[in-house]
Amino acid sequence: MGSILVFLSILGLCFAQASPSAPNDHTAPASWDLSKPMNGFTFERVKAFSQPTTDKQAAQFSRISSIKGKTGSHNAVSSLVSSMLRTPPSHGQHTYQNISTAGTFSTQYAIQCGWDGVPVWLLLDTGSSDTWAVQKGFECHDAHGADHSESDCGFGNTHVKDFRLGPIDDLHFYLRYGSGEKVFGPMGYTDIACGGVKVSDQQAGLANYTYWHGNNFTVGILGLAYPSITSAYYGEIGQEATWNAIQYVPFLTNAITQGSIDPVFSVTLMKNSSDGIIGWGGLPPTHGQSDKYAATDLIVANLIGSAETSWRYSFYTIIPDGVKWGQTSDDTKYPYIVDTGTTMNYLPPPLAEAIAAAFQPRAVYLYQWGSYFAPCDSIPPSFAVVISGVEFWINPADMIYRDLIDPKTGYCAVAIASGGSGPYILGDVFLQNVVAVFDVGGAEMRFYSKT
């Protein structure tokens, strides 16, 4: 799976692409403290509004499909930029949302939902909150604002014409990503149903202006994160600021408050397949009993000094006990965002370098990609994330992408990347090896091993 280059960019506070530390520098600094700010963020534990949900099979579920390989040779990447897109999942200029970009080496997950009864394929993202679709007849532009044909933005079949009750007066959504991509347009209310979970009168956006690197399949995004990173604004487009931002209730929160599901959902990405499953209100139907299980607190990642995110919930973040690789372990505690919108695991640079060195032959950092590559026949080290004392091991076969090859060296991309100054990310390579339970009501995450 996966995107080759991914450094989280948040309001200019980017994951640094500094030179990786030497392998013998992996000794951890003092353990990270929950009260200690990191890269412009403060952290606090989420306050539960219910007891942790008892895990049971969900009554409703949605199948999600990998859309890797659905892009064509003349997609938005080749049409709108002069070279291969090599940008990370990145965060909105104003609201810090996360979405991975559909480049040649990316893997994204699509979910089919009903939009006022019309079936649409949307990108699934636990790191963003807004739900939007591109509007029929939208404008497609490049990074410089020049007009392009609709096909150059790489959306699928664009057939949503308008909101059935019309747009909300003087309100729009605006999203800008670190890659330069941006979408904006009117907001209104629509009925959205995904896998039997229906939300009536959901506030959503229709993008009528886009600069987008699409996959020629999906037509928008279904965001499953908290309300604090929604992106609605009063007033004129281009004048987005703190004073005219307004939060609204996104899809998942509405599904819970309207009683469509219990306050929990789960994600499992299937091995040796391009599919996955979301269990709405419980566990996916494919889940079997596992003797490796752990629960850990959800914490809030808040941007310092931002009225929009202070005290409110944002990204799904946990603090593991540490990591293990080979015969080595590191028990430094760092915050990690759990995110389906990111392919690799993004670790503190000294850890990433130490694990890269443990490949046999070792992986090397290629600056043109901003990521590690190793000879394609390299033997990966065993690697585990330790959560509440339980070791969750990643299948060695998942640690190297044998179909993602650097043309100059012939090396293959590996699944561990440098996350700069953090916060760090547990992405799809981790989620392939667990069933991840997002217990929003109980303010905790639970993991069941699949290995």
Side-chain angles (χ1 to χ4, degrees):
M1 302 176 58
S3 161
I4 287 228
L5 178 101
V6 278
F7 291 101
L8 186 62
S9 170
I10 303 177
L11 198 61
L13 302 172
C14 298
F15 283 13
Q17 284 192 17
S19 299
S21 304
N24 60 2
D25 287 340
H26 73 267
T27 302
S31 289
W32 180 81
D33 189 322
L34 186 65
S35 63
K36 178 182 177 182
M38 172 182 285
N39 195 22
F41 282 84
T42 58
F43 301 88
E44 61 181 293
R45 285 183 174 81
V46 173
K47 295 177 177 63
F49 62 84
S50 67
Q51 291 296 315
T53 305
T54 300
D55 286 334
K56 61 183 184 302
Q57 185 169 312
Q60 296 114 346
F61 64 92
S62 293
R63 296 192 178 275
I64 56 178
S65 298
S66 167
I67 50 177
K68 178 181 176 182
K70 290 187 182 292
T71 53
S73 59
H74 299 289
N75 63 9
V77 174
S78 58
S79 300
L80 296 184
V81 292
S82 59
S83 61
M84 188 181 303
L85 184 66
R86 306 185 185 99
T87 54
S90 53
H91 285 240
Q93 190 176 50
H94 301 292
T95 52
Y96 328 114
Q97 296 201 17
N98 184 356
I99 183 68
S100 55
T101 304
T104 299
F105 295 125
S106 69
T107 297
Q108 300 172 318
Y109 285 89
I111 182 171
Q112 189 174 48
C113 298
W115 184 292
D116 283 335
V118 177
V120 294
W121 283 96
L122 303 174
L123 284 173
L124 174 75
D125 193 12
T126 61
S128 68
S129 296
D130 291 294
T131 293
W132 60 269
V134 68
Q135 188 170 24
K136 187 176 180 63
F138 71 98
E139 297 179 21
C140 175
H141 297 263
D142 63 20
H144 306 290
D147 291 339
H148 279 254
S149 67
E150 289 186 3
S151 61
D152 285 349
C153 278
F155 288 103
N157 184 16
T158 57
H159 45 230
V160 180
K161 296 180 180 179
D162 207 344
F163 299 105
R164 57 184 173 78
L165 299 178
I168 301 171
D169 291 340
D170 201 32
L171 187 71
H172 68 277
F173 80 106
Y174 190 109
L175 292 168
R176 184 188 295 273
Y177 301 96
S179 60
E181 291 170 291
K182 62 181 177 182
V183 296
F184 57 77
M187 300 204 82
Y189 296 102
T190 181
D191 293 342
I192 295 178
C194 304
V197 177
K198 182 177 180 180
V199 172
S200 301
D201 296 327
Q202 172 61 53
Q203 186 171 329
L206 282 179
N208 56 21
Y209 180 105
T210 73
Y211 163 46
W212 195 249
H213 303 122
N215 48 55
N216 296 326
F217 185 63
T218 56
V219 298
I221 294 173
L222 179 72
L224 295 182
Y226 292 114
S228 63
I229 51 175
T230 52
S231 313
Y233 300 89
Y234 283 120
E236 297 182 6
I237 292 174
Q239 302 299 315
E240 294 77 23
T242 301
W243 65 268
N244 65 344
I246 179 170
Q247 289 186 15
Y248 66 92
V249 181
F251 173 80
L252 180 68
T253 307
N254 256 332
I256 294 169
T257 58
Q258 292 183 13
S260 295
I261 60 171
D262 290 337
V264 62
F265 69 96
S266 62
V267 175
T268 182
L269 304 183
M270 310 302 291
K271 286 186 173 294
N272 303 316
S273 170
S274 60
D275 295 331
I277 297 177
I278 288 187
W280 299 110
L283 296 173
T286 58
H287 175 66
Q289 292 297 319
S290 172
D291 57 0
K292 281 194 174 182
Y293 156 87
T296 187
D297 290 341
L298 272 170
I299 65 172
V300 183
N302 294 320
L303 192 69
I304 295 174
S306 172
E308 286 77 23
T309 56
S310 60
W311 70 262
R312 297 183 179 94
Y313 305 160
S314 52
F315 305 109
Y316 296 109
T317 307
I318 65 170
I319 304 177
D321 298 341
V323 298
K324 290 189 173 184
W325 66 100
Q327 302 301 312
T328 306
S329 62
D330 186 298
D331 59 1
T332 309
K333 291 180 172 59
Y334 291 102
Y336 285 82
I337 295 169
V338 181
D339 185 17
T340 61
T342 300
T343 303
M344 301 175 181
N345 289 337
Y346 288 79
L347 309 180
L351 290 179
E353 175 66 15
I355 296 165
F359 280 74
Q360 299 178 1
R362 67 155 295 150
V364 295
Y365 188 85
L366 298 184
Y367 286 87
Q368 66 269 35
W369 295 109
S371 194
Y372 286 97
F373 284 71
C376 294
D377 60 356
S378 181
I379 300 173
S382 56
F383 175 79
V385 180
V386 185
I387 300 172
S388 298
V390 180
E391 299 170 359
F392 292 92
W393 292 92
I394 290 177
N395 189 324
D398 297 335
M399 291 285 287
I400 189 165
Y401 303 118
R402 302 186 190 280
D403 57 340
L404 305 182
I405 301 173
D406 172 59
K408 291 185 178 180
T409 63
Y411 284 11
C412 291
V414 304
I416 300 298
S418 171
S421 55
Y424 305 107
I425 301 176
L426 296 176
D428 292 344
V429 66
F430 172 72
L431 291 169
Q432 278 183 302
N433 290 272
V434 299
V435 175
V437 181
F438 298 74
D439 192 339
V440 179
E444 70 176 25
M445 287 206 68
R446 297 184 291 276
F447 299 93
Y448 294 87
S449 176
K450 289 165 43 176
T451 57

